[in-house]
Amino acid sequence: MTARFFILIARFWQLGPSRFLPPTCRYAPSCSEYTIQAIAKYGAIKGGWLGLKRLLRCHPWGGHGYDPVP
Amino acid sequence: MDNQRNLILAVVLSAVVLFGWDFAVSKFYPEPAKVSQTDTLANTSDPNDASEAQVRSTRHTREGGLTDPADMAEEAQDLKTALASSDRITIDAPEVAGSINPVGARVDDVLLKTHRQTVDKDSGPVRLFSPDGTPAQQFAQFGWIGDDVKLPGASTVWSTDGDVLTHEKPVTLSWDNGEGLTFRLRFSIDDHYMLNVKQIVANRGTGSIVVQPYSFINRTSRTASKDTWNVHSGPIGAFDNSVSFDNDYDDVAETGTVSPGGETEWIGFTDIYWLSALIPQENTSAQSDFRSLGNDKFRADVIYDPVTIPAGKQITRDTQLFVGAKESDVLDAYQEQGISQFGLAIDWGWFRWFEWPIFQLLKKLYSLVGNFGVAIILLTVIIRGLMFPVAQRQFASMAAMRAVQPKMKAIQERYKDDKQQQQQEIMKLYKEEGVNPLAGCLPLVLQIPIFFALYKTLLLAIEMRHKPFVLWIKDLSAPDPATVLNLFGLLPFTPPSFLAIGVLALLLGITMFLQFRLNPSAMDPVQQQMFMIMPWVLMFVMAPFAAGLLLYWITSNILTLAQQRYLYSRHPQLKAQAAKAKD
């Protein structure tokens, strides 16, 4: 249930704001895609935590490159 | 690609979601419960009153108070008669004026000396309490209930030991029931908004008696400020150490009585800016609830458990009554003194941890410069300053990325069926060419709570009420009063409210338009068109919001413009490309 909700948020972001914003991704796959995959694989809590950690390193001083869900 | 644009867009999008939602909700669900409430209550109590209530509109404004002209006229008339009695005990504290009615020992006349009704300097002080029966009725009463005892009631005439209650001099009302019991109410007030009421019963008789001291606040919901999805106006209280914003007037009207349960820290009614609340004595057992009295009238009760008073003894209950403005420093000070969660009577909501530092910074800046408008501008400068390194890095990486554009195109072409391989190749290219990757989404996501925090702060903070900026802006918490369409009042008509574009909103549209035009990154035609329209749409959307919020946004736009110019001058190749893209 919660997992669904999180995925819904990520999907909303992808279809809404992300469409209109210029590309900003330092990582592949993108944060939203990464979160969706992580939640599908590990469930809401662990997957959500992985997604949050990913978001938190997605800034100009963070890492970059190919970074798939573990 | 451009970080400036990301930031602005994040702000824009969060604003669209925030305000669009608010707008849509109020448009499609215009307070449906209000109607049913009037209907169901029409046949209770005074029929005269009810029919009148139906005729008169109950429009809830941002600040609250009566809105119907007939109500206002009646209120003025009623106050004149109700407050005429010379027996009233005057309240004259540093921030509170008014009087106590010796009939019924009610605190039913409270004015706030330090807050004006309107932005007009000559407008009178804000009235919070108004006697029973007046259109804006709100008052507090203290008493006792019990069986087989003659008790003072609403029509009891009390005698007093003083004519004036000040923060230095308490006043005691007393009443003898003629059967061996003396009731006393000792009122004192501090230099802000807190009254302390000691309810004393002295038993001079021969047998012991049992009474329950009580107190209540009685008010009409017709003067309530507007209850919105993110700012609560209505019944409020703290129970078992947590503040409850859950109860609305409608809920209470529907159920009749709402008993929140748990230990009551304080209970009362709140508007966006004002609060009236009872704080029961600590370490005593008391029950509290909200009651609907019909006809849009409500009560918040504190009823202590029964106490036995043996012959020759006396018993005291010590209740505090807060009636005043929700100034955050004042509330926090009361919380320090032991009133649990009192600072949270301001409905900061989920993002309090974000709003708090911004609010504190804003207050600090205000105390330094003495003008809230200037303080908002400085706050904007600080926030933009903190974001500057991000912007600068972004520009640098953009410049480098332009240089490798052809190679990138080639990679995209070669691996267009395998996205993963494509990404890896692009990353490899970055490394080879020494290009910084893009800024990532965190800076963008962070903007949303910052903007929301500022929006909420400007909405809630009474510190900003009636605070001027310059020229025509006399109240930063209210919408810009100058409307462009009728040439600032020169033409003799008032434009419909959705067309009432203020000067600030116009400036917002213009600065945003200019800023989008300076954006360096190439856009596809659809995006480009959106950016042409967006500023003007937002101009209409933002026009009804607090002038302070618009001021923040305009300043932010201007700073971004300056930043863009500066960074262009450091990366001239970008400028040439941007010019080329425009052609």
Side-chain angles (χ1 to χ4, degrees), chain B residues 359-379:
Chain B
F359 177 57
Q360 292 306 322
L361 181 59
L362 201 56
K363 274 204 307 197
K364 187 85 209 148
L365 291 170
Y366 174 63
S367 70
L368 287 176
V369 297
N371 180 310
F372 242 111
V374 178
I376 290 174
I377 290 176
L378 286 178
L379 177 82

Side-chain angles (χ1 to χ4, degrees), chain B residues 92 94 165-170 189:
Chain B
D92 185 16
L165 168 66
T166 71
H167 62 298
E168 283 154 347
K169 191 172 147 294
I189 189 166

Side-chain angles (χ1 to χ4, degrees), chain B residues 407-421:
Chain B
K407 287 187 186 170
M408 181 110 92
K409 277 257 166 66
I411 292 174
Q412 277 169 345
E413 201 57 35
R414 194 170 342 141
Y415 299 103
K416 68 172 168 225
D417 296 326
D418 185 353
K419 288 277 173 200
Q420 193 168 313
Q421 184 71 21

Side-chain angles (χ1 to χ4, degrees), chain B residues 560-575:
Chain B
T560 306
L561 271 169
Q563 186 179 283
Q564 280 171 329
R565 286 194 169 276
Y566 167 74
L567 290 170
Y568 267 135
S569 71
R570 292 196 34 190
H571 302 278
Q573 73 274 32
L574 266 181
K575 190 171 194 174

